[in-house]
Structure formats: structure tokens, C-alpha cells
Amino acid sequence: GQNIDQPTEMTATEGAIVQINCTYQTSGFNGLFWYQQHAGEAPTFLSYNVLDGLEEKGRFSSFLSRSKGYSYLLLKELQMKDSASYLCAVRDSNYQLIWGAGTKLIIKP
Amino acid sequence: GAVVSQHPSWVICKSGTSVKIECRSLDFQATTMFWYRQFPKQSLMLMATSNEGSKATYEQGVEKDKFLINHASLTLSTLTVTSAHPEDSSFYICSARGGLDYEQYFGPGTRLTVT
């Protein structure tokens, strides 16, 4: 079966750095996505990785290791507005998105 | 970037009635549209995938006679919740994918409350 695992909840302090991990087992791989979702809103795209390595975009970076079936989202200089759920999703061989359950990130002052 | 709209953004209906949700791709042609449902504090659950001009493919456990999906044009898909019940109350989100771009673009979601 297809499976994506990420922690249910994490807590971090404003101004700090947090890393949200995601491991996956899917039938085929055509890229991994990270989305941010604030409560009551639809997901918004954060990053896309299809090759191994680190993709940096401002305060957010995403890393992928295809051989390990592993990715992480790194958030730097945390702000209160970063409090949200972060969803990891993998596109399988049929180009369908397989979703993780999401990680709720709580930022404390 | 590509824009997807949904209408209405929220709706309250009485039990037993039907409600239609529209999903539109505003600046691109969506060959495939996806309908998701999300209950509070849970992740997205794919309900169905629809390709323009053909019948939708429903995920296991989703009643196709209850959740009617129409994708009659390259810019519009509709989801009709028939004979709604309180347990159908949820956040319904559509996404669209088009052409050579395999990215999915999400609509803002529709919050349905059935009383």
C-alpha cells in the first residue's frame, strides 16, 4: 500500500528553526510537494522536489532523498503566522497526489 | 500563477436537500479536476477525479449517486451533494490540473453545514 508519515504536531518558538520530516512509500515517484494550510483555508503550495537535494525558497527549504524515501521541510526565523498545518504529498506513478495527514505546527512567542 | 475559484465559499442547507458547489479554473484549461473533503483536524481525502467530458472516477467508499460530479467543460466542474445529511458537513476543496503542467492548483474551499 501507499503510505506517507509525518509527525502529528510540533511546537517551536518564534524566531527559531523547525524541521518537519516526511517519509513515504508509494507506487512510483514523480515528485514531492509541501503545502501549508491555515485552519479553515485550502492548502497553498510551498515547494516541490523531484531530484535529490535541497531546494531553498526564502525562509523555507525542502530536502529530498529518493533512495531513503525521505523529505523534510525546514522553516527558519519562525513567525507567528507560520502556525499552520504542513502537508507532505507525493505524486505517484499515475500522477495522483498521495497525502500525508499533515503536521500541525504551533509557534509560541 | 493559475487561479481556481469555488462557489459558494460557505453554505448552510437543511437535511434532505441538495447543494451544488462549483469549481472554476479562471486562467487555464483544466483537463482534470479533483474533489477533496476535509473533516476538522484531518487531512485531505480525495473523493473523486474527473476528466473533462468523461465520467468521474470515485475513490473507494465515496457514493457516486450521492456526490454527483459533472465536468462538462475545461473550466468548470460541479459537485452536487444530494439528500444532504449532517454527517456530510465538511470542507470541500477542488483542485485543477491542466495541459502539460502536472501541478494541482487548489480552490479556496467550500464549507458545507447541514442542519
Side-chain angles (χ1 to χ4, degrees):
Chain A
Q2 310 206 88
N3 193 51
I4 297 186
D5 288 317
Q6 49 182 132
T8 304
E9 186 174 297
M10 298 182 71
T11 303
T13 304
E14 189 178 15
I17 300 173
V18 70
Q19 177 175 311
I20 303 174
N21 296 325
C22 171
T23 58
Y24 63 89
Q25 294 173 311
T26 58
S27 54
F29 178 85
N30 281 296
L32 184 144
F33 297 82
W34 283 96
Y35 287 86
Q36 181 190 60
Q37 186 178 26
H38 285 100
E41 299 179 12
T44 55
F45 171 79
L46 286 180
S47 69
Y48 170 66
N49 293 70
V50 67
L51 299 176
D52 290 350
L54 188 68
E55 294 282 341
E56 297 186 77
K57 188 184 294 185
R59 293 189 299 116
F60 294 0
S61 303
S62 57
F63 171 83
L64 173 67
S65 169
R66 288 172 296 171
S67 62
K68 295 181 179 179
Y70 168 69
S71 172
Y72 68 72
L73 179 69
L74 190 70
L75 294 77
K76 302 176 184 176
E77 301 170 16
L78 287 170
Q79 302 174 10
M80 297 303 293
K81 68 178 182 179
D82 297 330
S83 292
S85 286
Y86 292 84
L87 306 174
C88 173
V90 173
R91 196 157 59 190
D92 68 9
S93 56
N94 294 318
Y95 281 86
Q96 301 283 33
L97 280 179
I98 311 301
W99 293 88
T103 299
K104 182 179 180 181
L105 178 62
I106 300 169
I107 309 297
K108 295 185 175 180
Chain B
V3 179
V4 176
S5 70
Q6 272 185 251
H7 177 79
S9 55
W10 60 270
V11 58
I12 302 173
C13 70
K14 292 186 176 181
S15 186
T17 61
S18 296
V19 61
K20 179 185 286 188
I21 303 169
E22 292 186 350
C23 177
R24 293 181 185 272
S25 56
L26 299 185
D27 51 2
F28 69 102
Q29 293 185 324
T31 52
T32 305
M33 285 188 170
F34 304 85
W35 286 96
Y36 293 88
R37 180 168 53 183
Q38 187 176 33
F39 293 106
K41 299 184 180 180
Q42 296 186 23
S43 190
L44 299 171
M45 289 173 44
L46 180 64
M47 298 176 67
T49 302
S50 72
N51 293 298
E52 184 265 339
S54 61
K55 290 184 178 180
T57 302
Y58 290 81
E59 295 299 303
Q60 194 171 10
V62 178
E63 301 174 56
K64 62 180 181 180
D65 294 330
K66 179 172 180 62
F67 299 98
L68 302 179
I69 292 173
N70 183 283
H71 189 171
S73 79
L74 285 171
T75 59
L76 173 65
S77 176
T78 61
L79 167 67
T80 301
V81 182
T82 63
S83 187
H85 291 286
E87 55 263 34
D88 298 325
S89 298
S90 187
F91 192 44
Y92 291 86
I93 308 171
C94 74
S95 69
R97 187 176 78 193
L100 299 177
D101 183 353
Y102 287 102
E103 176 60 79
Q104 284 189 31
Y105 301 95
F106 285 87
T110 297
R111 185 160 302 283
L112 170 64
T113 302
V114 183
T115 60

